[in-house]
Amino acid sequence: NINKIIALSVLSDSRLVALCLTDKQGSEGSYTNHGILEVYRLSDGLRLSIIRLPHDILNPHHAVQTASGTFLVCHGRPWSAVHRICEVNSEGVIVTSYGQQPGSGPGHLNTPYHMTLGAEGRVLVADGLNNRVLLLDTKLNIQRVLLSWPDARHTGVGLPVRLHYDRQTMTLYVGLYTGHVHIYAVCL
């Protein structure tokens, strides 16, 4: 068993959400992890809550809290059977989700690495192995492909793994697997 923090999100009300991996099983290249969300108060580090993620959320990458108080968790590694964005309530129950088995067509993701919230609570998703950034509405319905790198295998540009959207400047920062950061003016 492990309890390893893999993602942090700072909330506007001076709280911190930590996504922690637990219960690693298997070997490198085919392992599975379960996860928990821990919410802390930033001023003194007091842990306010622990939310155990459902067992069908395997290999989580990132978590953010929505304006309504639920949490969005992206999960799925290249060898995972399911790749999704799940909205989870404070009891750890999945409210809704987007995605299924890995793929590139409508309703599919392929290793969703990271998310950020845009204007009006919309969700931007770094759909890593599909070399694209998706825009989902607050109910996790696809709105459109916001960015894509169709020639990523040939150019080496692609594989988004981190996102940050600055709502004031309407700027999207996309961290790529190569270590580069691309900056886009995006009006959501």
Side-chain angles (χ1 to χ4, degrees):
N1 286 352
I2 61 170
N3 197 9
K4 174 182 169 186
I5 295 175
I6 62 161
L8 297 172
S9 297
V10 177
L11 308 175
S12 61
D13 62 354
S14 298
R15 291 180 303 136
L16 174 91
V17 176
L19 172 60
C20 303
L21 295 182
T22 62
D23 306 322
K24 183 174 181 177
Q25 300 172 0
S27 59
E28 290 303 316
S30 64
Y31 62 87
T32 60
N33 284 307
H34 296 285
I36 59 173
L37 298 175
E38 296 182 348
V39 181
Y40 294 89
R41 188 168 52 210
L42 281 177
S43 61
D44 60 5
L46 177 69
R47 186 168 56 198
L48 302 172
S49 63
I50 299 173
I51 302 162
R52 184 161 300 282
L53 297 175
H55 281 289
D56 60 340
I57 293 181
L58 296 173
N59 301 316
H61 290 282
H62 189 233
V64 297
Q65 190 170 26
T66 67
S68 66
T70 60
F71 297 88
L72 299 175
V73 180
C74 58
H75 71 101
R77 299 257 181 219
W79 56 86
S80 301
V82 178
H83 295 225
R84 295 183 298 181
I85 306 298
C86 295
E87 182 178 13
V88 178
N89 67 19
S90 60
E91 288 79 40
V93 176
I94 296 174
V95 176
T96 189
S97 66
Y98 176 84
Q100 47 192 316
Q101 60 271 25
S104 59
H108 294 272
L109 299 166
N110 195 346
T111 314
Y113 279 111
H114 208 259
M115 301 164 294
T116 189
L117 298 178
E120 300 172 5
R122 288 184 238 164
V123 184
L124 292 88
V125 179
D127 187 12
L129 294 181
N130 281 329
N131 296 298
R132 64 187 182 186
V133 175
L134 300 179
L135 178 63
L136 307 178
D137 67 15
T138 58
K139 303 280 188 209
L140 301 185
N141 297 307
I142 184 77
Q143 297 296 290
R144 68 181 189 267
V145 174
L146 197 58
L147 298 167
S148 69
W149 297 269
D151 296 329
R153 285 200 166 99
H154 304 295
T155 64
V157 176
L159 192 58
V161 295
R162 296 290 179 264
L163 298 174
H164 174 73
Y165 183 71
D166 185 324
R167 294 179 208 164
Q168 291 181 330
T169 63
M170 294 186 289
T171 303
L172 177 62
Y173 299 87
V174 180
L176 303 177
Y177 182 77
T178 59
H180 296 93
V181 176
H182 288 209
I183 303 170
Y184 301 91
V186 178
C187 183
L188 301 175

